[in-house]
C-alpha cells in the first residue's frame, strides 16, 4: 500500500474538530483508491480563475489534449487501479525483467550465472558501481544463507534491490508551508509540464488549491498551453507575454501567499546541464523564489525521461549540484526504459524519487514504491 501524498501532522496537540476521536494518530495517508472521495467535509474552495486573457490561437487548445490526455476511463476501485498500474509498469520494464528472469530459469549457481547477471544489470542501465555492489552482496548472501537453487538466488537479488531502492521512496508531504512552493526543472521534453498538470489535478483531489507559474518563457506555445489547461481545470496560471522566468516565479509566489493558496508549482523551460548560462538562469529563478518567500522553494524537483539511460545519472548530478534537488520524477517508464538507472541513482546520488510515470494519462503518474518497482523489474 502506498500513499499518494502525505499530509503534515499537526504540530500542536489541539483537538481536531469532530473526527479527531476516530482519526488515526499518525499523519493521514491518502491512497489512490480514495482519490475521488472527498477528504474533508467542506467542499474545496474554487481557486480564483486566471486573470490572463484566453489565448486566441485554437492551435494551442488542440495541443492541450496531447499534453494532458485524460480521456481514458479510470479504473473504479483501488484494486483495479493498482492492477492496471502494475500491468503498465511491468510492460514498460519487460525487456529488463525478461533478461533478468531468464537467467535464473533452471540455472546452476556458478560463475557463469554471476557473469550473465553482471551483463544483464549493466544492460539495464544500473551502471558499474550499483552492478558491482549488487553482485558482491549477492555472492555474500548466497554463501551466508547457503542458497542452493536459482529461485532462491533470484529472491535474494530481489531483496537486495528493494534494500537498495528503499531509501529513494519518500512521499511528497503537503501542508508544510502555505503555500508549498515547488520548482520543476529538467532537460527538454523530459515531461515537466505534463507532470505539473498531473500533479495539479491529483492535488486538487486532495483539496489543495494550486497555482502554476508558466516559467517556460522560451516558447509562446508552452505558456499558452499551460494557460488553457489552467482555465479548463480551474487552476490559476501566472504568466507574462515575454517575461523573465524569475520574475514570473516571484509573482506567482507572492500571489500564492496573498491568496492563501496551498501549492505553487513553477514550470521552467527545458535545458541541458551543459548549457551553463541556462543553468545559471535556473539558479537565479531559485534564488528569486527565495526572495518571494523565506525558505522557498520547498521542493526542487528534477524530471527525468526514463529512457535516457545512464545519462539520467549525469542529469541528476548536474541539476543537484546547481539546485540542491529535493526530489525526482521519472517519466516514460512505459517506453523502452530499462529501469536499472534507479539503482545507479540510489548508489551515487540518492535523491528521493517522489513519482514515476508510465504514460500520459493522469493516473499514469504514481508515487514510487521500491517493492512494486522491483516486482516489475524482477517479477
Ligand atoms: N509515454 C509517455 N509519455 C510521456 C510521459 N510523460 C510525459 N510524456 C510525454 O512527453 C512529451 C513531452 O512532455 P512535456 O511535459 O511537454 O515535457 P517538458 O519537459 O515540459 O518539455 P519542454 O518544456 O519542451 O522541455 C509529451 O508528449 C508528453 O505527453 C510518460 O510517462 N510516458
Ligand atoms: Mg514544458
Amino acid at each position: 500500500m502506498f500513499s499518494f501524498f502525505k499530509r503534515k501532522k499537526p504540530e500542536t496537540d489541539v483537538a481536531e474538530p469532530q473526527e479527531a476521536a476516530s482519526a488515526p494518530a499518525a499523519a493521514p495517508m491518502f491512497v489512490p483508491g480514495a482519490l475521488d472521495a472527498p477528504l474533508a467535509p467542506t467542499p474545496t474552495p474554487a481557486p480564483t480563475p486566471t486573470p490572463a486573457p484566453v489565448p486566441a490561437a485554437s492551435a494551442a487548445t488542440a495541443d492541450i489534449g496531447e499534453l494532458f490526455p485524460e480521456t481514458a476511463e479510470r479504473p473504479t476501485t483501488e484494486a483495479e487501479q493498482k492492477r492496471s498500474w502494475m500491468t503498465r509498469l511491468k510492460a514498460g520494464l519487460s525487456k529488463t525483467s525478461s533478461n533478468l528472469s531468464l537467467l535464473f530459469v533452471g540455472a546452476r549457481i556458478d560463475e557463469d550465472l554471476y557473469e550473465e547477471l553482471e551483463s544483464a544489470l549493466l544492460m539495464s542501465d544500473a551502471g558499474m558501481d550499483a552492478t558491482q555492489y549488487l553482485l558482491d552482496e549477492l555472492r555474500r548472501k548466497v554463501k551466508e544463507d547457503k542458497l542452493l537453487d536459482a529461485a532462491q538466488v533470484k529472491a535474494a537479488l530481489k531483496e537486495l534491490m528493494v534494500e537498495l531502492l528503499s531509501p529513494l521512496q519518500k512521499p511528497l508531504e503537503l501542508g508544510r508551508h502555505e503555500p508549498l512552493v515547488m520548482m520543476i526543472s529538467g532537460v527538454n521534453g523530459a515531461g515537466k509540464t505534463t507532470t505539473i498538470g498531473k500533479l495539479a489535478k491529483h492535488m486538487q483531489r486532495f483539496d489543495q488549491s494550486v497555482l502554476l507559474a508558466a516559467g517556460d518563457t522560451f516558447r509562446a506555445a508552452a505558456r499558452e498551453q499551460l494557460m488553457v489547461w489552467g482555465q479548463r481545470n480551474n487552476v490559476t496560471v501566472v504568466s507574462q507575454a515575454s517575461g523573465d522566468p524569475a520574475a514570473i516565479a516571484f509573482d506567482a509566489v507572492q500571489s500564492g501567499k496573498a491568496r492563501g493558496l496551498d501549492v505553487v508549482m513553477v514550470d521552467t523551460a527545458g535545458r541541458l546541464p551543459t548549457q551553463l548560462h541556462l543553468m545559471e538562469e535556473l539558479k537565479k529563478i531559485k534564488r528569486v523564489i527565495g526572495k518571494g518567500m523565506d525558505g522557498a522553494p520547498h521542493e526542487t524537483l528534477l524530471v527525468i525521461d526514463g529512457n535516457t539511460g545512464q545519462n539520467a545519472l549525469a542529469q541528476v548530478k548536474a541539476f543537484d549540484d546547481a539546485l540542491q534537488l529535493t526530489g525526482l520524477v521519472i517519466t516514460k517508464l512505459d517506453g523502452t526504459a530499462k529501469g536499472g538507472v534507479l539503482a545507479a541513482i540510489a548508489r551515487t546520488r540518492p535523491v528521493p524519487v517522489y513519482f514515476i510515470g508510465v504514460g500520459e494519462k493522469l493516473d499514469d503518474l504514481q508515487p514510487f514504491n521500491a517493492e512494486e518497482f522491483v516486482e516489475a523489474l524482477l517479477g
Side-chain angles (χ1 to χ4, degrees), residues 66-67 188-194 216 219 270 332 334 357 359-360:
E66 288 158 33
L67 249 186
N188 310 67
K192 296 176 291 298
T193 310
T194 317
D216 181 351
R219 294 177 297 123
K332 309 190 196 182
D334 52 319
E360 298 171 274

Side-chain angles (χ1 to χ4, degrees), residues 169-361:
Q169 184 181 323
K170 186 183 171 197
L172 180 65
E173 200 177 308
L174 298 174
R176 289 169 286 156
H177 303 278
E178 198 182 298
L180 178 77
V181 180
M182 300 169 61
M183 174 177 166
I184 289 84
S185 62
V187 303
N188 310 67
K192 296 176 291 298
T193 310
T194 317
T195 297
I196 288 174
K198 289 175 187 167
L199 283 180
K201 291 283 282 178
H202 281 301
M203 283 169 175
Q204 282 187 321
R205 290 173 173 184
F206 285 94
D207 284 339
Q208 300 285 298
S209 47
V210 180
L211 182 145
L212 305 182
D216 181 351
T217 53
F218 277 27
R219 294 177 297 123
R223 192 184 71 245
E224 285 169 6
Q225 283 170 352
L226 209 56
M227 277 166 54
V228 176
W229 183 86
Q231 266 167 348
R232 278 200 193 155
N233 291 282
N234 216 10
V235 172
T236 311
V237 178
V238 173
S239 84
Q240 275 173 26
S242 55
D244 166 33
I248 294 167
F250 182 84
D251 283 354
V253 172
Q254 296 286 64
S255 171
K257 275 193 335 191
R259 298 178 195 199
L261 299 181
D262 297 312
V263 180
V264 172
M265 281 192 277
V266 180
D267 193 11
T268 60
R271 67 203 71 214
L272 292 173
T274 46
Q275 296 171 301
L276 296 182
H277 62 296
L278 295 181
M279 293 306 279
E280 283 306 315
E281 184 193 70
L282 265 191
K283 289 188 204 172
K284 180 179 161 195
I285 298 173
K286 188 179 178 199
R287 232 177 15 249
V288 172
I289 289 174
K291 293 197 170 137
M293 181 179 180
D294 268 354
H298 311 103
E299 295 289 353
T300 307
L301 305 189
L302 174 69
V303 177
I304 303 170
D305 178 335
N307 299 292
T308 324
Q310 275 284 292
N311 189 257
L313 189 58
Q315 289 174 19
V316 176
K317 283 182 185 164
F319 280 84
D320 189 36
D321 287 344
L323 298 173
Q324 293 78 54
L325 299 173
T326 59
L328 305 177
V329 177
I330 303 185
T331 62
K332 309 190 196 182
L333 288 170
D334 52 319
T336 56
K338 297 173 189 157
V341 74
L342 269 87
I345 291 170
R347 282 289 294 171
T348 320
R349 199 63 75 101
V351 180
V353 177
Y354 283 130
F355 301 99
I356 57 176
V358 296
E360 298 171 274
K361 298 184 190 69

